[in-house]
Amino acid sequence: MEEQRIGVYVCQCGTNIAKVVNCEEVVRALSEQPGVVVAKTYKYMCSNPGQEMIIADIQEHGLDRIVVAACSPRMHEPTFRKAIQTAGLNPYFVEMANIREQCSWVHDDPQVATDKARALTFGALHRVAKHEPLERMSVEMCPDVLVIGGGVCGMTAALELADGGNHVYLVEREGTLGGNVARVDLTAPYLDSARDLITALVTRVEEHKRIDVLVHSQVSSLEGFVGNFTATVETIWGDGASVSQFRVGNVVVATGYKEFDASRVVHYGYGKLPNVITSFEFEKMLRAGRIQTKEGKIPQYVAIIHCVGSRSKEFHTYCSRVCCMTALKYAHEVKSAIPNCYVSDVYIDMHAFGKGHEDFYKRGSEAKTLFLMYAKNDHPVIRKAGPGDDCEMLIEVNEKLSGEQIEIPADLVILMVGMEAREDSDAVARLVNISRDKDGWFIESHPKLDPVATTTDGIYIAGVCAAPKDIPDTVAQARAAAGRILAKTIRGSIEIDAVFAEIDEDKCSGCRVCNALCPYSAITYDASKKKSTVISAVCKACGACVAACPSGAIKARHFTDSQIFAQIEGVLT
Amino acid sequence: MADKKLQIALYWGAACGGCDVAVLDTNEFILDVAAVADIRLWPIAADGKYKDIEAMADGELDLAIFNGGVRNSENEHIAHLLRQKSKLLVAFGSCAYMGGIPGLANLTSREKILETAYRRNPSIEWGNRVVPQPETKLNGKELEIPKFYRRVYKLDQVVDVDYYIPGCPPQPDRVRETLLAIVKGELPPKGSVVGAFDHALCEDCPRTKNEKKVKKFYRPWEIKADPDTCLLEQGVLCCGVATRSGCGVRCPTSGIPCRGCYGPPPGVTDQGAKLASAVASIVDSKDPNEIEEILAGLPDFTSFAYRYGVAASLLQRSYRQ
Ligand SMILES: Cc1cc2nc3c(=O)[nH]c(=O)nc-3n(C[C@H](O)[C@H](O)[C@H](O)COP(=O)(O)OP(=O)(O)OC[C@H]3O[C@@H](n4cnc5c(N)ncnc54)[C@H](O)[C@@H]3O)c2cc1C
Ligand code: SF4
Ligand code: SF4
Ligand code: SF4
Ligand code: SF4
Ligand code: SF4
C-alpha cells in the first residue's frame, strides 16, 4: 500500500477540552507518528473555520485520512464526514477520538486526561489507516403507505397522505372506523360533537379514491424494509376470511388504547354496585340523551371520581391526560341536563394543561360543582347507603385541602377510567419490529426530538398507542407522521448508510446461530442455498450477529476485526 | 527433484503419539513415500540421532514434519534445528498448530503441574516423590534434563512455519493428499492451512439446522439426542459451528459433538472466543437469573471452548520468565 498521508486535528472545544487536556502535548505526540503529515490544535474544529482548515490541508498537503480528536462521534461525525467529502475524500476516511466526554469531562487530573486523550487519538490514528472507502446505497421507495388502526389518528394520517398523492391502505380491526372517539358524546374543552367530528372524517376517508379501507381486518405479517415492505392482511367476513397482500414503503401504527378495567379497583365496587359506571358507559348515556340510574330514575346526586387506574402505585403510574377535562365536561353536561342535580368531583390534582383547558376548568368551578381533593394512594371508598339516606350510595373521602373526612351522597358514580395499552400491543410491536416501554406504549426514536419515528426505519407511531393524549395532540402526531413519510417518498428513493453487516456466502456454514439474533430482523435464511443473508437496508450495524457468527462469515463494514484490533493496538502503544 | 530422493524428518514435541500413528495410518502410502524419500529422523518408527541432524547442511532436508507443541527446551531446540536444516517446516496436528491438548496446561502453572505429577499423584511411591530438576549432581557428575517451560507454545510461536495441517490427529486421507501435494511440489501459498477446507464443519454436517434457541445444555450422556437434528440446538455443545471442516465430520456423524480439533475456520482469530459468543447468542432467555441457571449447565467452559487452542488464544497470561 502507498504511504498514507494523515492529518490529525485536536479540538479544544473552547475550554471544554483544553481546560483539562493539554492539547498541544497530544499534537506533539501525534506529529511524531509515521504517516502523520499535519497535526494541529484549534479552538472549535466543528466551526466553519475548523472544517475549512481540514479541507484546505487536504488540498494543500494531499492528505488522504483524517483524525479528529474532539467530542463524541454521535455529535459531529456527520459534520466531519461531510467536510472531507467536500474536499474530495471518501466520507468514511475520518475517525474521531472522543477526548471530551471520555477525557476532559470525566477526569480532573490533567496528566491522566492528557495521557488518555493521547492513547485514544493513537487508537484513532491506527484505525483510520485501515479504513476502507464505502459507498452509500440508494433503494427504491414505494410511495404506498399502510396505516394500522382507523381511529382519529389513523384516519387523519391516511387523509393527509392520500391528499398528498400517496395511496393508503387503512386497516381497522373493528367493523367501523372511528376508534374510541366514536364512543364519546361531546369533546372537551370546546364541547363540539364527537359524532360530527368522526362522521366528517369517516366520510372523507371512505370517499377518498386513494384510500383503501379494510375493516374487520388485521395485518398478519409485515416483511421487508423501509421503502419495500410487503404487508399481508387478513379480513374476516361474516362467513369467511380473505387474505390480501400489498407492497408499501412506510407504515403508520395508530392502534390507540383500551380503557382501564374499573373492576380492578375493588373499593369502588364497580360490577357490584349497579350505579357505579365508567366514563365510557356514561358517554353512552349522553349519546342516548338520557342520564339515569339503573332503576330508570333521574339522579339527584352525581359523583365523578378521577384517576381510576391512573397515577397510582398499584395500577398505572402515568396520567391518562384526558380524564380531568372529560370529568369537567360531564359536570357541565349533567348540570345542563338536570339543573338541580348536585355534582361532586373527587380528584387528586386537576390537570388542565392543554390549550383552553384552564378556562374550561374555571367555567366548571363556577357551575356549582363540589370539588373534593384526595391524596394519591388514599382512595375514596364507596358503600351502599342505608334505608334512612335519601341517596343510593355514600362516598367517604379524606379531603386533602380541609384535612377532614367527608361523606358525600351519590345516586350515580362515574369512574374516570384511564387509558391502557391494548392487550395485543406486544404482538403489534413484534409485527412491525418496534419496542414498548414498561407500560406497553410504543417507544419513539427520541422522546423529545423524534417523537413519531421509531428505531425501525419506515415505521411511525402516532396517537395514543405511543402514550395517552387528547384529540388535538393525536391529530398533530398523525399529521407529523404523514409529513415525515411524504417528505421521504417524494424523492422516490432513500439513501442508506454504508455501514452495515455483510455475510460472505462462501464462509457461511448455514449453522443458523445468527438467525434469531438480529434485533431489527435483518437476517434471512435461504433454505435452498443453506446460507444466511443480511438485508443491508434493514441492518443497523449493531454488531450482534458479527460477534456471534462462529465461522467468521459476517463482517461489519467499518467495524472489521482488523480495524478494531488496530485501534486497540493504537491505544496500547 | 526426480533425480534425488526427498530428504524428510518427522519429529514429535509435546505430543501424545497419535499424530505419528496418523502418519502410519496412511498404510502402504507411507511405504510409497519411503520409496521416493529418505526418512532421516522419525523417533517413533526409525532410529536417528540429533547429532546427525546437527551435522547436516542448512536446507539439506526438503521437508520436516513437526507434531506436538513446544513444552520444554528440547522441543524448542529441535524446532530451531529442523527449521534451519529443512526447506519446508510443517506444523502437523492440533498441538503443533494451536498448542493442542497439552496447551490446556497453560491454564495452570508450572509449579502446580510439577506438584500434581510428582508429589500428589497417588500412584507415586513414598520416597519417590522427587520433582526432577533441570540440573542434578549425581556421583560428582552434572546431569541435565530439558528445561520444563512455564507454558506450552504452538510451533509458530517459536519458529517460522510454512504449512499447518490441523486435526487431532489429522485425518489420514488428508495427510496423504497433502504429503502428495508437497512431494509433487504443488504447494499453496506459504502460511496456508492445508489438509482441510475453507469453511466451518456445519456446512458438511448432514444434521438439519434450525434457528438455535437453547433453554438447557446437556453433557452428551445426559440426553438421547435426535440423530438427524443439529446437536447444538438440542443443547449438546457442538464446536462444529466454530471449527474448520476437514475431518469428514467424524464426530457429529457418530452421534457425538465436535470438539473443535481442526481449529478455527479461516478468518476467525480466536476459536474459543467465537464459541463463547456463539453459545451466549443462542441462550433463549432475557432474564438474568434464568440465563445464569442455563449457563450453569456448562462446566469448565474455558477448557471446553479452548480444548485445543489455549496456546493460540488472543488472551495470554503474562509470564515473567
Ligand atoms: C372517556 C374518554 C373521553 C375522551 N374525551 C375526549 C375529549 O373530549 N377530547 C379529546 O381531545 N380527547 C378525548 N379523549 C381521548 C381520545 O379518545 C383519544 O385522544 C383518541 O381516541 C386517540 O385516537 P387514536 O386513533 O390514537 O386511538 P383509538 O381511538 O383507540 O383508535 C385506534 C383504532 O385502531 C384500531 N386498532 C387497534 N388495534 C388494531 C390492530 N391490531 N389492527 C387493526 N386495527 C386496530 C381500533 O379498533 C381503533 O379503531 C377521551 C378519552 C376517553 C377515555
Ligand atoms: S452464524 Fe454465520 S455461519 Fe452461521 S448461518 Fe449465520 S452467517 Fe452463516
Ligand atoms: S449487525 Fe445487528 S442489525 Fe445488522 S444484521 Fe447483524 S444483528 Fe442485525
Ligand atoms: S494433535 Fe492430537 S493426536 Fe496429535 S499429538 Fe496432539 S494430541 Fe496427539
Ligand atoms: S453444530 Fe455440530 S451438529 Fe450442529 S450442524 Fe454444526 S457440526 Fe452439525
Ligand atoms: S468432528 Fe470436530 S473434533 Fe471430531 S474430528 Fe472433526 S474436527 Fe475433530
Side-chain angles (χ1 to χ4, degrees):
Chain A
M1 208 200 322
E2 224 179 286
E3 178 81 21
Q4 281 171 341
R5 300 179 62 80
I6 305 174
V8 180
Y9 299 87
V10 181
C11 185
Q12 298 162 11
C13 194
T15 55
N16 255 308
I17 293 172
K19 72 170 188 284
V20 187
V21 172
N22 183 338
C23 296
E24 279 79 22
E25 203 181 306
V26 177
V27 167
R28 215 171 308 124
L30 266 292
S31 61
E32 288 159 8
Q33 291 299 302
V36 176
V37 178
V38 179
K40 292 180 176 170
T41 171
Y42 184 66
K43 212 162 180 62
Y44 291 109
M45 281 315 303
C46 61
S47 67
N48 279 339
Q51 296 181 47
E52 277 153 20
M53 178 162 92
I54 299 178
I55 295 170
D57 284 352
I58 291 173
Q59 279 149 359
E60 187 182 330
H61 300 283
L63 304 180
D64 56 7
R65 303 286 153 120
I66 301 296
V67 170
V68 183
C71 50
S72 160
R74 291 208 63 133
M75 186 90 192
H76 276 307
E77 195 169 57
T79 311
F80 296 113
R81 281 191 179 158
K82 219 179 256 162
I84 73 163
Q85 195 170 20
T86 313
L89 290 190
N90 185 284
Y92 293 90
F93 281 170
V94 61
E95 177 67 12
M96 289 187 74
N98 184 350
I99 61 166
R100 192 179 71 179
E101 285 85 337
Q102 292 176 3
C103 296
S104 66
W105 280 2
V106 288
H107 298 294
D108 301 324
D109 180 342
Q111 195 52 52
V112 171
T114 305
D115 287 347
K116 186 169 167 191
R118 190 193 313 111
L120 290 176
T121 315
F122 273 178
L125 178 71
H126 284 242
R127 187 189 207 281
V128 83
K130 303 261 183 205
H131 280 196
E132 288 157 22
L134 299 174
E135 298 303 329
R136 299 217 170 113
M137 283 194 315
S138 167
V139 298
E140 197 208 328
M141 168 69 76
C142 170
D144 299 356
V145 183
L146 168 68
V147 177
I148 309 177
V152 164
C153 185
M155 288 193 289
T156 306
L159 284 169
E160 191 79 10
L161 286 158
D163 286 346
N166 294 36
H167 193 94
V168 178
Y169 299 92
L170 179 59
V171 176
E172 167 58 52
R173 182 165 49 197
E174 302 299 327
T176 50
L177 297 174
N180 280 309
V181 177
R183 303 163 66 195
V184 171
D185 182 40
L186 299 182
T187 61
Y190 301 116
L191 306 176
D192 306 319
S193 149
R195 199 190 309 251
D196 292 354
L197 189 152
I198 291 292
T199 314
L201 279 173
V202 173
T203 315
R204 271 202 67 209
V205 164
E206 286 181 338
E207 285 173 358
H208 208 296
K209 62 176 192 296
R210 278 188 293 273
I211 302 179
D212 277 348
V213 178
L214 295 104
V215 288
H216 289 302
S217 301
Q218 287 207 71
V219 182
S220 57
S221 89
L222 184 76
E223 305 211 330
F225 49 90
V226 58
N228 298 275
F229 291 108
T230 304
T232 310
V233 173
E234 277 172 24
T235 304
I236 316 265
W237 305 103
D239 44 1
S242 66
V243 173
S244 44
Q245 220 172 41
F246 36 80
R247 248 188 93 216
V248 293
N250 293 277
V251 179
V252 179
V253 180
T255 49
Y257 66 99
K258 74 172 171 65
E259 75 249 40
F260 176 78
D261 172 8
S263 64
R264 289 170 65 192
V265 190
V266 279
H267 41 256
Y268 290 162
Y270 179 75
K272 297 212 172 70
L273 298 170
N275 286 310
V276 176
I277 64 170
T278 68
S279 38
F280 274 113
E281 285 162 341
F282 188 63
E283 294 281 357
K284 206 168 160 190
M285 254 183 222
L286 292 172
R287 285 164 68 92
R290 192 172 156 79
I291 302 170
Q292 59 184 19
T293 62
K294 273 273 145 47
E295 299 76 28
K297 284 197 302 206
I298 303 294
Q300 210 191 332
Y301 304 102
V302 172
I304 305 170
I305 301 182
H306 289 226
C307 299
V308 178
S310 311
R311 309 186 64 212
S312 98
K313 272 197 303 226
E314 282 158 84
F315 305 107
H316 300 302
T317 47
Y318 54 80
C319 162
S320 291
R321 291 181 59 130
V322 296
C323 338
C324 281
M325 289 307 106
T326 308
L328 293 181
K329 175 183 83 178
Y330 294 167
H332 170 91
E333 293 201 52
V334 172
K335 281 281 191 191
S336 39
I338 319 165
N340 58 355
C341 181
Y342 295 94
V343 180
S344 28
D345 187 281
V346 188
Y347 67 102
I348 301 178
D349 299 294
M350 191 60 73
H351 282 182
F353 45 79
K355 189 169 180 175
H357 288 186
E358 197 61 38
D359 290 341
F360 187 55
Y361 175 37
K362 206 159 151 253
R363 265 183 283 138
S365 37
E366 281 159 8
K368 294 232 171 71
T369 302
L370 175 66
F371 286 98
L372 300 166
M373 192 183 211
Y374 71 95
K376 244 188 193 181
N377 306 317
D378 183 15
H379 301 280
V381 177
I382 307 174
R383 67 180 155 85
K384 224 178 146 31
D389 298 313
D390 73 332
C391 56
E392 290 284 315
M393 295 163 282
L394 289 167
I395 307 177
E396 215 174 84
V397 188
N398 288 321
E399 215 286 329
K400 205 171 148 189
L401 295 177
S402 61
E404 280 169 34
Q405 197 180 50
I406 296 178
E407 204 168 60
I408 49 170
D411 295 325
L412 189 66
V413 177
I414 307 169
L415 302 179
M416 300 309 299
V417 289
M419 306 191 198
E420 200 169 64
R422 290 185 186 269
E423 286 105 341
D424 66 340
S425 68
D426 185 30
V428 173
R430 263 184 280 121
L431 179 81
V432 300
N433 206 2
I434 58 178
S435 330
R436 298 183 313 149
D437 66 15
K438 67 175 192 343
D439 299 310
W441 307 114
F442 301 137
I443 299 182
E444 48 281 83
S445 162
H446 189 288
K448 303 230 178 280
L449 303 176
D450 207 2
V452 294
T454 65
T455 47
T456 301
D457 279 344
I459 309 290
Y460 295 85
I461 51 175
V464 178
C465 64
K469 51 181 68 72
D470 62 2
I471 299 169
D473 285 359
T474 297
V475 167
Q477 285 209 329
R479 290 181 193 256
R484 293 287 302 273
I485 295 171
L486 287 171
K488 277 206 305 183
T489 50
I490 206 154
R491 270 176 278 151
S493 66
I494 43 160
E495 266 212 340
I496 287 183
D497 193 6
V499 180
F500 51 79
E502 288 174 299
I503 298 184
D504 179 342
E505 206 176 87
D506 290 339
K507 283 192 187 164
C508 172
S509 71
C511 71
R512 307 193 64 181
V513 163
C514 62
N515 283 190
L517 217 56
C518 178
Y520 305 94
S521 310
I523 301 175
T524 56
Y525 176 72
D526 182 335
S528 60
K529 278 201 204 155
K530 297 205 163 80
K531 304 275 176 184
S532 297
T533 15
V534 169
I535 306 164
S536 36
V538 186
C539 169
K540 294 269 186 190
C542 75
C545 66
V546 185
C549 173
S551 59
I554 314 185
K555 181 179 114 180
R557 287 175 165 224
H558 211 56
F559 290 90
T560 63
D561 281 0
S562 77
Q563 288 164 352
I564 292 168
F565 288 143
Q567 189 167 14
I568 295 171
E569 275 161 21
V571 168
L572 297 177
T573 42
Chain B
M1 273 195 191
D3 47 349
K4 208 176 136 272
K5 273 191 155 189
L6 273 184
Q7 303 299 303
I8 297 184
L10 293 95
Y11 180 73
W12 51 7
C16 74
C19 276
D20 281 314
V21 173
V23 177
L24 290 171
D25 273 348
T26 57
N27 300 333
E28 54 290 335
F29 170 78
I30 195 64
L31 300 175
D32 296 345
V33 172
V36 293
D38 285 334
I39 298 179
R40 303 281 293 269
L41 176 76
W42 192 5
I44 199 176
D47 200 12
K49 296 276 180 278
Y50 291 167
K51 66 174 183 341
D52 299 336
I53 306 283
E54 278 158 10
M56 287 179 189
D58 288 358
E60 187 173 324
L61 291 171
D62 294 296
L63 172 65
I65 296 175
F66 193 109
N67 72 67
V70 176
R71 165 90 269 184
N72 62 29
S73 54
E74 181 192 22
N75 303 153
E76 186 180 4
H77 172 66
I78 305 298
H80 283 294
L81 198 60
L82 291 176
R83 174 68 281 181
Q84 194 187 336
K85 305 296 178 186
S86 180
K87 295 192 187 78
L88 289 180
L89 176 63
V90 173
F92 188 95
S94 302
C95 294
Y97 174 36
M98 306 183 280
I101 298 274
L104 279 170
N106 290 5
L107 295 172
T108 175
S109 68
R110 172 171 62 186
E111 290 65 34
K112 284 210 182 104
I113 294 169
L114 294 178
E115 177 74 14
T116 307
Y118 293 100
R119 286 196 204 278
R120 297 206 181 280
N121 196 326
S123 66
I124 300 172
E125 282 172 28
W126 271 111
N128 219 359
R129 304 196 172 197
V130 180
V131 176
Q133 301 300 316
E135 277 140 33
T136 319
K137 275 210 170 83
L138 196 71
N139 303 333
K141 292 220 170 87
E142 291 264 343
L143 290 181
E144 243 181 67
I145 59 166
K147 225 174 130 192
F148 188 75
Y149 289 160
R150 279 178 181 274
R151 56 161 293 187
V152 173
Y153 299 88
K154 58 182 183 136
L155 187 58
D156 70 3
Q157 285 166 338
V158 171
V159 291
D160 192 36
V161 170
D162 296 295
Y163 297 108
Y164 304 88
I165 303 183
C168 180
Q171 223 247 22
D173 284 343
R174 294 286 99 69
V175 175
R176 191 169 20 228
E177 285 161 21
T178 310
L179 292 182
L180 218 53
I182 293 173
V183 169
K184 289 190 191 150
E186 295 163 354
L187 294 168
K190 185 182 155 158
S192 298
V193 171
V194 292
F197 304 123
D198 284 339
H199 53 253
L201 188 67
C202 299
E203 180 154 348
D204 298 322
C205 174
R207 289 174 181 260
T208 312
K209 294 122 192 136
N210 302 296
E211 278 191 8
K212 292 183 169 39
K213 287 185 170 174
V214 176
K215 275 256 186 263
K216 182 170 165 47
F217 287 107
Y218 300 91
R219 315 299 296 272
W221 63 86
E222 290 173 334
I223 178 180
K224 199 162 185 300
D226 177 76
D228 300 320
T229 307
C230 165
L231 289 163
L232 184 56
E233 65 201 47
Q234 299 182 61
V236 180
L237 280 182
C238 178
C239 301
V241 287
T243 300
R244 188 189 281 266
S245 189
C247 65
V249 205
R250 286 189 290 200
C251 302
T253 49
S254 330
I256 58 161
C258 165
R259 303 127 143 313
C261 79
Y262 264 64
V268 171
T269 320
D270 191 306
Q271 188 182 21
K274 267 300 182 199
L275 274 168
S277 45
V279 168
S281 304
I282 61 173
V283 169
D284 186 17
S285 173
K286 293 218 180 338
D287 171 45
N289 294 329
E290 195 189 14
I291 292 173
E292 204 66 47
E293 228 167 80
I294 296 173
L295 293 181
L298 303 171
D300 196 1
F301 189 76
T302 313
S303 307
F304 164 80
Y306 288 100
R307 192 189 301 254
Y308 300 93
V310 181
S313 162
L314 264 182
L315 298 174
Q316 295 292 337
R317 213 184 318 164
S318 67
Y319 295 89
R320 275 178 219 99
Q321 295 260 357

